[in-house]
Amino acid sequence: MSTRLIIPANFSYDDPLPFTCNQDSHVMLSILEYLVQATYLSVSAVLNSMIVYTIFRCKGKHSYRRNPFFVLYAAEAVMNVYSCVIEVLFGRLIIYMTPLCPALSPFFFTPSILTKLYFLLNHYCLAFKTLSQIAISFNRMTCVIFPVHHFKLWQNILAPVLVSLFVLPLGVTWNILVSRVYVNPNGAGFSVNYRDAVAWANISFLHLFHCIPCLFLMIVFFLASIFGLTMLENRLRSAERSLIIFTMTLGVETMLFAIAQIYFAFLAGYLPGIRPLMLLISFNVFDVLYVYSPIALILMNRQLRRDIFHLKGDDPGFLSASSHNQPAARVMAPVMH
């Protein structure tokens, strides 16, 4: 029989919220599900770590750090590594390792700094990824629209953009800081949830506040990028086309996440029947991107692939729209193959 956590109408911040774990009739299946998710999340963490290491290790002619696209991707990759590691070690562990539920859950019936940090940083990373899609999409647009001035433009704006990426997600998480974070039954395990202290500033609404401008701007940047591609030389167009497709595919994640947040913020009470589907989308949409983004970037970028795995081969060249007409600044181009 399923157990629900019933939250009293009035309770203080420190009141315990106990519950009894549900019985799991398919323990081995739950453990297998955890192992599958832990495997692909671990692969994502390893690949993203290798990409970040390569970006900051290579110097001179092959310096990825001089290319703003790779710097922006590295910032997002760091967030991906954290998200994957914490999910493997805590988030998915408490959901799917059901024999742990009776032993671990009592430690979190009262407020815990661990669950508070986990929940807060989880939503911080989600907001960061949403905003980083704007920055990466804008970077690709300027690369094809302003190929001559792209490098100089990003020399001036890269630092402020990075600062904004790390500061603006706080606009999503501030309500969590003052709210009660608790654990509740999830299947035969348990997961982390919260009760907002400021009712109008629920987490779905705040995520949506970021997602809507993000979607609008990404559509504008995508259309402008497509137009810019038609203006490039064929040699440069083929390289930039692949990277723009890669960037727009990442943007699909933001669109699906926004749809889920629209539902939870405004429609959950009117359309309860599709709640399982929305939970599935919200829960798994980032998993797909965690795995897709590092694998796709490594497969599509020949030079990055060679540098990561120390493969031998001829220098594929480094010219692209981002370094076109910039002979003094040999910025390594995202040559995609």
Side-chain angles (χ1 to χ4, degrees), residues 26-91:
H26 304 285
V27 175
M28 296 307 299
L29 183 61
S30 298
I31 294 176
L32 178 61
E33 191 168 1
Y34 167 77
L35 292 175
V36 169
Q37 295 188 18
T39 298
Y40 67 68
L41 290 174
S42 298
V43 169
S44 173
V46 169
L47 291 178
N48 273 307
S49 297
M50 294 170 69
I51 292 174
V52 172
Y53 175 76
T54 301
I55 288 173
F56 290 100
R57 172 180 62 88
C58 292
K59 299 178 181 179
K61 181 183 177 182
H62 290 196
S63 178
Y64 295 89
R65 286 177 294 177
R66 299 181 65 190
N67 188 307
F69 169 81
F70 286 108
V71 175
L72 292 171
Y73 183 86
E76 181 170 321
V78 169
M79 292 296 171
N80 288 346
V81 171
Y82 164 78
S83 296
C84 291
V85 170
I86 198 64
E87 285 300 313
V88 170
L89 298 180
F90 183 74

Side-chain angles (χ1 to χ4, degrees), residues 160-225:
V161 167
L162 287 173
V163 171
S164 298
L165 288 180
F166 283 96
V167 171
L168 290 177
L170 297 175
V172 170
T173 59
W174 63 268
N175 196 15
I176 298 175
L177 287 172
V178 297
S179 298
R180 169 67 186 270
V181 174
Y182 61 90
V183 298
N184 58 271
N186 188 329
F190 64 95
S191 60
V192 182
N193 209 328
Y194 87 117
R195 179 162 182 171
D196 45 57
V198 182
W200 66 265
N202 66 77
I203 198 69
S204 294
F205 176 79
L206 294 176
H207 273 303
L208 191 61
F209 186 75
H210 283 72
C211 286
I212 295 302
C214 180
L215 283 174
F216 174 77
L217 290 173
M218 283 196 301
I219 291 172
V220 172
F221 295 156
F222 175 71
L223 294 176
S225 299

Side-chain angles (χ1 to χ4, degrees), residues 120-269:
L120 186 147
L121 291 176
N122 180 50
H123 285 279
Y124 177 90
C125 289
L126 294 179
F128 184 98
K129 286 177 64 63
T130 300
L131 293 167
S132 71
Q133 295 307 311
I134 299 177
I136 293 175
S137 299
F138 181 62
N139 174 266
R140 289 301 86 204
M141 184 199 72
T142 59
C143 189
V144 296
I145 295 294
F146 311 112
V148 176
H149 303 289
H150 168 80
F151 177 66
K152 186 172 181 58
L153 170 67
W154 279 92
Q155 276 187 315
N156 296 325
I157 69 172
L158 181 58
V161 167
L162 287 173
V163 171
S164 298
L165 288 180
F166 283 96
V167 171
L168 290 177
L170 297 175
V172 170
T173 59
W174 63 268
N175 196 15
I176 298 175
L177 287 172
V178 297
S179 298
R180 169 67 186 270
V181 174
Y182 61 90
V183 298
N184 58 271
N186 188 329
F190 64 95
S191 60
V192 182
N193 209 328
Y194 87 117
R195 179 162 182 171
D196 45 57
V198 182
W200 66 265
N202 66 77
I203 198 69
S204 294
F205 176 79
L206 294 176
H207 273 303
L208 191 61
F209 186 75
H210 283 72
C211 286
I212 295 302
C214 180
L215 283 174
F216 174 77
L217 290 173
M218 283 196 301
I219 291 172
V220 172
F221 295 156
F222 175 71
L223 294 176
S225 299
I226 296 300
F227 172 78
L229 282 177
T230 64
M231 309 298 291
L232 291 178
E233 302 173 16
N234 288 333
R235 175 173 60 89
L236 302 178
R237 186 184 306 163
S238 60
E240 295 301 339
R241 182 190 299 118
S242 297
L243 198 54
I244 288 173
I245 292 174
F246 168 78
T247 303
M248 290 304 108
T249 304
L250 297 182
V252 172
E253 158 262 318
T254 303
M255 179 186 70
L256 294 175
F257 184 63
I259 291 173
Q261 299 313 307
I262 290 172
Y263 170 79
F264 289 118
F266 302 112
L267 303 176

